[in-house]
Structure formats: structure tokens, C-alpha cells
Amino acid sequence: MDYEFFKKSADYVRSVIPCETEIGIILGSGLGSLASCIDSPVEIDYRDIPNFLVSTVDSHAGKLIFGTLAGKKIICMSGRFHSYEGYDYEQLVIPIRLFKLLGVRKTIITNAAGAVNTDYNVGDIMIIKDHIKLNGASPLRGKNVDEFGPRFFDVSDMYSKSLRKIALDCAENSGLKVHEGVYMFFTGPQFETPAEIRAARILGADAIGMSTVTEALTAAHCSMPLLALSVITNMAAGVTENKVSGEEVDIAAAEISERFTEYVKEIIKRI
Ligand code: HPA
């Protein structure tokens, strides 16, 4: 996958939608309702984009949507890619690199996450301030594509301080409980064991999930400012007596979806 490989996807998208976009958005599990608020939407099916990937998760729509949201030109990925679907880590750079080549200047990522921090509740939001990834490979593994960034790169400020500040300010009138915390990546597709969750807590995690970090690392590599928001859809394994299920995650995401959409719109307005 050299620079030309990624450019082929971007050239196709530009040939269908020849407009500039300012903000890129990637929507997580069950959080697709934001997509229905986009004004003058133009959609491209992932399947039609050369060298792109195809979603295999039911709650992910699998399309790229262009349009206006809260007065800003945006491109939205409704449906994202995870390593548990069988993609190689190296392939997971593709979405953010497409954003970069389309001129996106800031990216917002959303996800559903399980709470490790027992002060959190289902329906809360966590602004990700840092992450822990101790398993799975780096998406930047393999030959470096110098056009995007250097071989070795800093990740101490991956989650933009200024975007986090805006997200915190927007929390005030949102009716949502918003925290700032550390997200820990687990590969999935199985949920974690209670022992893994206890370990995650000792390591400093506040919430856990199976996405986001590959995109965040790719964004850091190409110097793309990033805001990542987790919707707490469940307490992580062993925190309560309940078993964790995909259904519970989808139900909780759907319940909060409307307020969360308003919150994200407000953030976009102020960016
Ligand atoms: N674990 C991993 N990923 C998740 C969870 C969880 O508990 N909830 C939502 N995504």
C-alpha cells in the first residue's frame, strides 16, 4: 500500500463529489443517527470506492456521506472497520488516510464503550484524553508512507487538547454527564474477562472498547487533530453481576443517540 494506493480511493471520491470538506466524522456502533441530520447529503457506498474496505457489522451502515452539519462541510463514515472483522491492522489506516487526502482538517471519532471506572454510568460520555493499547499490532506497521508522516512519530498529544476543551465546554448545557478519561483497546470480538477488566483498572483505564485506537494512531501519524468520544453503553465485565451483550450495547447506544447527536452538533458548530 503505497501513496498511489490511497490516492486512488481519494481520486474516485473527488470525481463523484468535487467539494472540500473540513471535518471528518467516524460513527461508532449504534451511533449512526447523526448521519440522518446531515443537510444536502450525498452518499457513496464503501463498495464503490477503489481500495477501500467494506463493513461487516450489522449496526454499521457502510457508506460515506458528504454534506453540511451545524454549518460545516463534513464527511461522515457511517460504519467503521475493526480488527475483529478480520482486517489486518495495516488495512485500518485506510479511512483516516482517505480523510487526509480529501482535505479534512479535523476528525471526530465516536464509539460505544464499556465502563471500567465505577464512577461512570451507562449513558455517560467519555472524552478520550489518552489510550492504552497493549495488544494487537500497530496500523503503522510495515513500510512507512513518507507522504503521510515520519517512520517514528510522537503520540503524547494524539487527542487534541483544544478540541477536548471545546467538547468539555459543550457538555455544560447538553444534559449529558461528560467525563474525560483513558480508553483501553481490546481486540474483541469477545467481551473482556472480569480479570482483564480489573487489570485494565489497575493500569489506569476508565473505559474499554474494540475500536478507535487504530484510527487515532493513523491520525497522529499524519498530524490530523482528533477528538474521540465514547458513549458508555454498559458497565464492563465483572463490574456488575450482569453479563455483557452486543444487544445491551446497541440498546444503550440507541437510547442516548438523540442527545448525543445534539452534543456532537454543538461541538461541530464551535470547532
Ligand atoms: N467491551 C469492549 N467493547 C465494548 C464494550 C465492552 O464492554 N461495550 C461497548 N463496546
Side-chain angles (χ1 to χ4, degrees):
M1 296 200 299
D2 58 4
Y3 189 69
E4 286 307 312
F5 176 94
F6 299 101
K7 214 174 145 288
K8 199 169 171 196
S9 312
D11 287 347
Y12 171 79
V13 172
R14 274 187 198 278
S15 74
V16 180
I17 298 155
C19 68
E20 287 303 317
T21 48
E22 194 182 339
I23 298 173
I25 305 172
I26 299 180
L27 299 176
S29 305
L31 300 169
S33 73
L34 186 87
S36 57
C37 301
I38 299 171
D39 296 322
S40 321
V42 182
E43 296 181 0
I44 302 182
D45 202 303
Y46 292 165
R47 276 170 231 277
D48 296 332
I49 307 173
N51 296 343
F52 208 63
L53 305 170
V54 176
S55 284
T56 65
V57 182
D58 287 349
S59 56
H60 290 247
K63 43 193 187 177
L64 209 56
I65 310 168
F66 289 78
T68 308
L69 190 63
K72 301 271 164 59
K73 290 269 175 220
I74 61 127
I75 169 175
C76 173
M77 273 185 66
S78 186
R80 64 137 60 87
F81 309 108
H82 313 80
S83 66
Y84 65 73
E85 291 173 80
Y87 301 113
D88 293 333
Y89 281 90
E90 290 90 325
Q91 291 179 289
L92 298 175
V93 298
I94 286 176
I96 294 288
R97 288 192 171 170
L98 177 63
F99 280 6
K100 184 76 181 176
L101 291 175
L102 293 174
V104 165
R105 288 196 286 277
K106 287 168 186 145
T107 291
I108 301 176
I109 291 178
T110 68
N111 64 44
V116 173
N117 186 325
T118 51
D119 291 338
Y120 290 10
N121 290 300
V122 172
D124 289 358
I125 306 298
M126 183 180 85
I127 300 168
I128 301 182
K129 65 176 178 189
D130 204 349
H131 79 225
I132 302 172
K133 175 183 176 312
L134 299 180
N135 49 24
S138 169
L140 283 312
R141 176 171 177 263
K143 190 176 179 315
N144 188 52
V145 184
D146 297 334
E147 287 88 343
F148 288 107
R151 166 81 296 180
F152 301 105
F153 58 104
D154 184 76
V155 291
S156 55
D157 190 24
M158 257 186 297
Y159 299 95
S160 157
K161 274 198 193 73
S162 55
L163 293 179
R164 284 194 274 134
K165 165 88 174 58
I166 292 170
L168 271 180
D169 290 347
C170 291
E172 269 175 31
N173 298 317
S174 65
L176 293 165
K177 183 112 187 359
V178 180
H179 313 268
E180 251 193 319
V182 174
Y183 178 90
M184 185 160 179
F185 173 76
F186 281 84
T187 59
Q190 74 285 352
F191 290 110
E192 300 69 29
T193 65
E196 285 168 338
I197 296 305
R198 286 195 299 276
R201 188 175 302 116
I202 291 166
L203 291 174
D206 296 295
I208 37 119
M210 305 174 194
S211 67
T212 300
V213 299
T214 53
E215 294 140 354
L217 291 167
T218 310
H221 182 248
C222 66
S223 306
M224 168 89 77
L226 178 73
L227 174 69
L229 303 171
S230 293
V231 170
I232 303 299
T233 52
N234 58 285
M235 300 312 285
V239 175
T240 68
E241 299 285 295
N242 302 343
K243 288 194 174 175
V244 184
S245 72
E247 200 184 11
E248 174 190 16
V249 169
D250 289 340
I251 291 171
E255 256 168 37
I256 195 173
S257 154
E258 207 171 301
R259 266 180 303 150
F260 183 64
T261 295
E262 287 308 310
Y263 175 56
V264 176
K265 272 165 65 181
E266 187 59 31
I267 293 172
I268 292 171
K269 204 196 290 176
R270 295 203 210 169
I271 280 177

